[in-house]
Amino acid sequence: MARAALKWGVRDLADRANVTPATITRIEAGKPSYSSTLRAIRNVFEEAGLTFIDENGGGVGVRFAKPASGTDV
């Protein structure tokens, strides 16, 4: 959902997070991953201006916030 909100392809996210496209595809398919990889991906999304919304009765999600300064989205 976050990647789609930014209109990024798998390779776009992989490049920004310094992981392989296969890693992104595997994570999106629900396969396990290292916590450090997941943190790196989340950091990239947050630097691009996304905020993650916890489960609040309506489901988890993302929303746009102000991008971190100096970030090229």
Side-chain angles (χ1 to χ4, degrees), residues 6-73:
L6 293 167
K7 298 180 181 155
W8 288 355
V10 169
R11 289 183 183 161
D12 297 316
L13 176 56
D15 288 344
R16 286 172 168 89
N18 287 324
V19 299
T20 66
T23 297
I24 301 299
T25 301
R26 203 171 50 251
I27 291 168
E28 289 181 351
K31 305 269 167 93
S33 186
Y34 294 109
S35 60
S36 60
T37 301
L38 297 175
R39 270 194 313 273
I41 292 168
R42 183 177 180 130
N43 288 342
V44 166
F45 283 139
E46 289 175 343
E47 288 171 2
L50 292 181
T51 300
F52 288 85
I53 304 167
D54 293 327
E55 172 64 53
N56 61 3
V60 296
V62 296
R63 71 172 158 241
F64 282 104
K66 183 178 178 185
S69 61
T71 318
D72 182 22
V73 178

